Amino acid sequence: MHEVNVGRKVLSDYRSIVPKDLMAEIDELGERLKGRRVLHVNATAFGGGVAEILYTLVPLVSDVGLEAHWQILTAPPEFFNVTKSFHNGLQGHEVDFPPEARALYEEVCRANAAELTHPYDFIVIHDPQPLAMRNFVALDEDHSTWWIWRCHIDTSTPDRALYEYLLPSINRYDAAVYTLADYVPEGLSVPVREIAPTIDPLAPKNMQLSAEDATYIVRQFGIDVTRPLLLQVSRFDPWKDPLGVVDVYRTVKARHPDVQLALVGSMASDDPEGWDYLERVIEYVGGDPDVFILSNLDNVGSVEINAFQSHADVILQKSTREGFGLTVTEGLWKARPVIGGAVGGIPLQIEDGVSGYLVHSAAECAERCLQVLDDPVGHREMALRGKEKVRRDFLTPRLLRDDLRLFADLEDGRIRS
Ligand code: UDP
């Protein structure tokens, strides 16, 4: 495994942004858990929501008095083909999982588990890629280490055969954490906590950018800032439905010929399907000069994502499956009108018609886009309500509190199967 260097963050910087009682509770839990050693393990340090969360969470856990580490798996590229099929299978597709794939998966988890020599009080394993590491470390009855599986995906209707293969590994953990209780599949015998992810309001991706700076940045990518812009920020993945977003844009364009669309999608190192799908999206767009397809390869980093989200007239997240949807949180935090698919974690964030819109089809999505473009002033209040929802429920200190609470509850025996 490789240690990710997360640098330093200071909790007190967040005091004026989140509610006071939350900060008080974190202080108390930090005191209670002082010196505990925590390890987070996931598959990638770059791209996708989990890495995004850990970059902020890990240094804050250290700042409140624990010793926190983050390590990523060491694995050959073929391993990520296998685990991408896990991801698809757990989200409901039928997948093929031949014995060679099984052997590779187990071997990588075994080799990485063998590197766990440093003692930890809490080990948090994120998503299916490192899940089986638990199988290669002996169960210890006195819990010198508590093992937690943190599942970020919607596993409510998994491929049965795959799930039956993974279930015994999950059941070796002391607790499992899901974004929504609805995602917990049948047959789990470990205690479950429901904890939604969060965004970092002080990170370059979410800090306040002036309208002038946002305009300046998006103009560098060719956006005409005098014309409306629809935006979706997402990996190039069928579940994010970028082709559906292009359909939405085309319908909107029939009434608003000046509209532009930006599809901004990073290439995660653990997502081998992304490249092929990007090609499909480019082909589908067919050279339309008002559609901008950008990725981290075009130097779109955090500040540029921030600029696009701060500048866009409408932010879309037209997913057909979505564990949570950090891009929705990010869009709401920038007080922009957000339209999301009514799936997974998106309804947890958007109350339809109150703090954004939830949609079930490209036609409905296009209709909502037109409403926003026709009445931006009328949608300002809606966007502000969205931002306040994020302030209350989806900023990093809340996640920090929930994680610390889980650790304390495990130690105090308040969590049992
Ligand atoms: N992201 C990014 N650059 C991109 C595309 C996505 O930095 O080009 C970020 C995005 O801002 C968000 C995360 O990757 O923070 C994606 O998280 P989400 O929960 O929306 O989806 P996931 O990729 O985990 O399915």
Side-chain angles (χ1 to χ4, degrees):
M1 288 194 290
H2 298 292
E3 177 97 18
V4 181
N5 184 356
V6 287
R8 222 185 133 220
K9 281 192 197 284
V10 181
L11 184 66
S12 56
D13 289 346
Y14 296 75
R15 279 191 200 278
S16 53
I17 303 177
V18 300
K20 284 196 174 50
D21 51 341
L22 176 59
M23 294 305 267
E25 201 183 338
I26 294 171
D27 290 342
E28 215 170 277
L29 286 161
E31 198 50 47
R32 152 85 180 71
L33 293 163
K34 216 170 204 48
R36 301 292 192 284
R37 296 147 306 180
V38 182
L39 172 67
H40 288 268
V41 180
N42 82 320
T44 173
F46 179 74
V50 179
E52 195 69 25
I53 291 164
L54 293 179
Y55 269 110
T56 302
L57 181 66
V58 171
L60 287 179
V61 172
S62 295
D63 187 60
V64 300
L66 292 81
E67 179 193 316
H69 297 269
W70 170 15
Q71 300 205 6
I72 53 170
L73 289 180
T74 313
E78 313 82 79
F79 173 80
F80 296 111
N81 294 331
V82 174
T83 56
K84 182 70 202 224
S85 80
F86 281 13
H87 192 102
N88 291 336
L90 287 174
Q91 291 205 134
H93 272 178
E94 223 172 90
V95 288
D96 191 23
F97 186 39
E100 319 79 82
R102 203 175 280 216
L104 174 64
Y105 175 61
E106 291 174 12
E107 175 47 29
V108 168
C109 286
R110 190 203 56 73
N112 281 274
E115 293 178 35
L116 281 176
T117 45
H118 188 73
Y120 293 102
D121 299 291
F122 301 96
I123 296 183
V124 186
I125 299 286
H126 294 262
D127 281 344
Q129 300 93 329
L131 168 68
M133 281 174 65
R134 181 71 191 94
N135 298 345
F136 302 100
V137 178
L139 288 172
D140 88 83
E141 294 304 325
D142 8 312
H143 292 297
S144 57
T145 303
W146 297 92
W147 285 74
I148 298 152
W149 187 51
R150 200 332 174 182
C151 179
H152 295 267
I153 47 191
D154 174 352
T155 51
S156 46
T157 51
D159 174 275
R160 279 325 296 182
L162 173 66
Y163 180 59
E164 269 154 34
Y165 168 73
L166 295 175
L167 188 60
S169 303
I170 306 174
N171 281 337
R172 282 173 68 92
Y173 283 73
D174 298 300
V177 176
Y178 287 83
T179 298
L180 280 177
D182 291 355
Y183 295 172
V184 182
E186 283 167 24
L188 217 67
S189 61
V190 293
V192 169
R193 273 276 157 105
E194 198 181 346
I195 301 179
T198 51
I199 59 165
D200 179 0
L202 301 182
K205 187 176 286 175
N206 297 310
M207 69 193 183
Q208 178 81 42
L209 263 192
S210 68
E212 297 75 23
D213 288 342
T215 303
Y216 174 83
I217 293 170
V218 300
R219 207 191 270 137
Q220 314 293 309
F221 292 93
I223 305 297
D224 179 345
V225 296
T226 64
R227 291 159 52 196
L229 177 69
L230 311 181
L231 170 72
Q232 177 157 298
V233 175
S234 276
R235 288 181 292 107
F236 289 101
D237 176 315
W239 304 103
K240 309 285 185 184
D241 198 18
L243 303 182
V245 172
V246 175
D247 294 339
V248 169
Y249 155 81
R250 286 179 178 148
T251 309
V252 172
K253 199 156 182 79
R255 267 221 347 242
H256 270 274
D258 55 346
V259 77
Q260 304 163 94
L261 169 66
L263 291 169
V264 182
S266 69
M267 292 295 156
S269 57
D270 67 339
D271 183 5
E273 286 175 358
W275 297 102
D276 294 343
Y277 206 68
L278 171 63
E279 285 305 315
R280 270 191 71 183
V281 175
I282 292 172
E283 205 173 295
Y284 195 67
V285 166
D288 183 333
D290 287 338
V291 179
F292 298 81
I293 301 177
L294 302 166
S295 77
N296 46 321
L297 302 178
D298 300 288
N299 279 330
V300 182
S302 298
V303 174
E304 291 77 14
I305 299 276
N306 186 342
F308 271 95
Q309 290 170 332
S310 302
H311 177 84
D313 294 275
V314 184
I315 292 179
L316 302 173
Q317 190 54 59
K318 219 202 125 320
S319 307
T320 53
R321 277 273 178 157
E322 191 61 75
F324 182 67
L326 287 173
T327 50
V328 170
T329 334
E330 291 161 5
L332 293 170
W333 182 242
K334 275 119 198 165
R336 308 308 303 153
V338 181
I339 303 175
V343 294
I346 298 178
L348 200 63
Q349 306 186 59
I350 295 179
E351 191 181 338
D352 189 28
V354 176
S355 50
Y357 289 120
L358 295 174
V359 295
H360 304 80
S361 65
E364 198 185 349
C365 187
E367 198 42 51
R368 292 304 194 187
C369 284
L370 288 166
Q371 281 177 10
V372 175
L373 293 180
D374 289 343
D375 180 19
V377 178
H379 284 84
R380 180 73 189 146
E381 281 303 311
M382 173 185 268
L384 288 172
R385 281 191 293 270
K387 182 174 175 84
E388 288 317 305
K389 170 73 175 161
V390 173
R391 187 191 307 284
R392 272 196 317 279
D393 294 338
F394 302 122
L395 297 182
T396 314
R398 199 273 299 142
L399 176 61
L400 174 65
R401 189 270 320 267
D402 288 354
D403 271 15
L404 296 178
R405 215 189 243 171
L406 170 64
F407 297 163
D409 287 352
L410 279 166
E411 283 193 348
D412 294 347
R414 282 198 290 265
I415 295 189
R416 288 186 202 288
S417 18

